[in-house]
Amino acid sequence: MQKPILVSGIQPTGRLHLGNYLGALKNFVSLQNTNKYECFFFIADLHSMTEEFTPKEKAKQIIELAADFLAVGLNPKKATLFAQSAIPAHNELAWILNTMTPMGELRRMTQFKDKGGDQETANVGLFTYPVLMAADIILYDAKFVPVGDDQLQHLELARTLARKFNSKFGKTFTEPQPLLTQTPRVMSLDEPSKKMSKSRPPGCIFMDDSPEEIHKKVMRATTDSESVIRYDIQTKPGISNLLRIYSSLSGELIPDLEKKFAGMNYSELKIGLSNLISNYFAEFRKNKKEILKNKKGIISALSAGNKKASKISAEKIKKVKTKIGLI
Ligand code: ADP
Ligand code: TRP
């Protein structure tokens, strides 16, 4: 029997951070390792072109993200790893879906508004970004899409478009469902009301940060003046964020952590957390360095995935065109 299909992508826009890891990437690895899904993980290089870049930078970011995928444990033998731009069907389907998407729905997208997409000077790619994302997903008939919660609105559009196409042209696509982790939104260490993001470097821990960098950022994390280590999102967003990160990396439950750190001060929690993060990613840092020494190996892993994704998606787009009446 065919396993349920799982698809997700990450944009190559720089180093990955703890939010990317706990919200998405950690789940990619564990879902892959259950062997219960047919997994497709890709580098969303076309999406990443909606932000400023230079060709040299982009090529480096793509290789680096592929190295991140491999270093964290995504395995080309277990999952199809590929680059979005290598697969023409993504764009072909995106165009078809563009013709079925009302402008009003795209204008409502939070990410579009946050990125200033409604200004006259913004590129049109930012506007149609969610349509390409819908194409990425439904092209493979994904049942599940592991993402952080900032992507839920986009995923809802993918569901709507799959449904719309099916009702207009007959059953063709599967409606995808999101898969969230226990930490679908990791908050910034310095501003715990905002999500962790590389655009706020002081509050952002990168997966390949050195132990010294990790220590510096964690020790400076914003807390509160109560001096009690207890989980309370409303009144103690900073400490609660640290406890949540601690819990996701160590596997200990938050109430158990509250007991473990009872009577201790904030700097003891911070030292514990910074050691935990440093140790947790030690193997990743080592793997990534090794993998980056062999760029040819990275490219060949991707080309094998590209080949497989091209074949599957070419068959699907052919069916889609037939349904529409394109001959
Ligand atoms: P960024 O948001 O840093 O630009 P991407 O848009 O490429 O990164 O996101 C890659 C994945 O990481 C997505 O599934 C996204 O939802 C998830 N993600 C990003 N930031 C966070 C965060 N702070 N907490 C949880 N998940 C996140
Ligand atoms: N928009 C996603 C992000 O910013 C990246 C992405 C592109 C994606 N296409 C996708 C995620 C398809 C899941 C499925 O994180």
Side-chain angles (χ1 to χ4, degrees):
M1 213 182 67
Q2 157 102 54
K3 294 178 186 174
I5 294 162
L6 191 148
V7 171
S8 195
I10 295 189
Q11 300 186 69
T13 47
R15 297 155 72 202
L16 294 179
H17 54 76
L18 205 52
N20 299 136
Y21 181 72
L22 292 177
L25 203 53
K26 182 170 186 255
N27 220 9
F28 293 7
V29 180
S30 51
L31 290 161
Q32 165 199 269
N33 290 338
T34 62
N35 292 319
K36 286 191 186 147
Y37 306 94
E38 175 73 33
C39 295
F40 295 84
F41 298 116
F42 68 93
I43 296 176
D45 46 5
L46 298 175
H47 277 109
S48 75
M49 290 169 61
T50 55
E51 286 176 32
E52 280 299 320
F53 67 94
T54 64
K56 217 172 146 190
E57 216 172 48
K58 189 52 64 197
K60 188 167 172 269
Q61 288 168 335
I62 292 170
I63 292 290
E64 182 158 351
L65 182 55
D68 286 329
F69 276 5
L70 297 170
V72 82
L74 294 184
N75 180 347
K77 292 199 183 89
K78 291 186 177 178
T80 307
L81 309 180
F82 67 97
Q84 183 187 35
S85 63
I87 320 295
H90 288 239
N91 259 322
E92 287 186 73
L93 182 58
W95 178 261
I96 292 167
L97 299 178
N98 265 329
T99 66
M100 302 174 57
T101 310
M103 290 183 41
E105 289 214 23
L106 297 183
R107 239 185 242 119
R108 274 199 298 277
M109 294 288 167
T110 317
Q111 184 174 301
F112 173 67
K113 290 192 271 186
D114 284 352
K115 295 200 170 172
D118 50 356
Q119 291 160 23
E120 283 298 310
T121 50
N123 70 76
V124 178
L126 270 180
F127 189 58
T128 57
Y129 181 112
V131 180
L132 177 59
M133 177 162 162
D136 297 336
I137 297 168
I138 67 177
L139 185 57
Y140 297 92
D141 281 313
K143 177 127 183 62
F144 299 110
V145 184
V147 278
D149 77 349
D150 58 343
Q151 297 301 314
L152 290 180
Q153 201 183 17
H154 292 163
L155 211 65
E156 198 47 50
L157 178 75
R159 293 169 59 81
T160 307
L161 289 174
R163 216 177 302 132
K164 201 164 174 179
F165 190 102
N166 289 346
S167 71
K168 212 165 165 186
F169 301 112
K171 174 91 180 93
T172 310
F173 294 115
T174 303
E175 275 184 47
Q177 292 165 29
L179 281 184
L180 296 181
T181 63
Q182 282 169 333
T183 33
R185 178 174 294 235
V186 177
M187 307 314 279
S188 179
L189 296 190
D190 65 330
E191 264 185 275
S193 59
K194 305 211 166 101
K195 73 165 190 167
M196 183 177 284
S197 152
K198 61 182 163 299
S199 55
R200 251 186 311 279
C204 181
I205 300 215
F206 294 100
M207 287 171 66
D208 59 0
D209 265 345
S210 68
E212 295 73 34
E213 286 162 321
I214 294 169
H215 187 74
K216 210 157 64 188
K217 290 179 201 169
V218 173
M219 294 314 285
R220 285 192 194 146
T222 301
T223 52
D224 54 70
S225 55
E226 193 196 36
S227 300
V228 179
I229 298 173
R230 138 180 105 73
Y231 188 84
D232 182 342
I233 284 284
Q234 297 307 327
T235 62
K236 299 167 75 68
I239 287 293
S240 303
N241 189 38
L242 298 184
L243 283 171
R244 214 164 334 113
I245 295 172
Y246 201 116
S247 162
S248 334
L249 293 178
S250 73
E252 291 160 279
L253 299 175
I254 288 178
D256 294 336
L257 290 175
E258 287 175 330
K259 276 182 214 141
K260 178 164 157 175
F261 286 103
M264 297 198 202
N265 57 36
Y266 287 172
S267 68
E268 285 167 291
L269 170 65
K270 287 178 169 179
I271 290 169
L273 179 60
S274 104
N275 289 338
L276 175 64
I277 300 173
S278 300
N279 293 335
Y280 189 95
F281 289 110
E283 199 184 327
F284 171 80
R285 289 192 296 271
K286 200 169 120 241
N287 288 347
K288 183 169 175 180
K289 244 192 212 151
E290 264 322 292
I291 289 166
L292 278 172
K293 284 186 195 153
N294 178 10
K295 299 225 166 63
K296 277 203 185 122
I298 300 176
I299 290 169
S300 93
L302 274 186
S303 5
N306 289 344
K307 237 190 205 161
K308 185 165 171 204
S310 286
K311 187 164 175 284
I312 294 171
S313 60
E315 282 164 20
K316 183 75 184 183
I317 199 76
K318 205 165 149 208
K319 282 190 198 143
V320 171
K321 286 180 174 169
T322 308
K323 290 259 179 165
I324 299 176
L326 298 174
I327 51 175

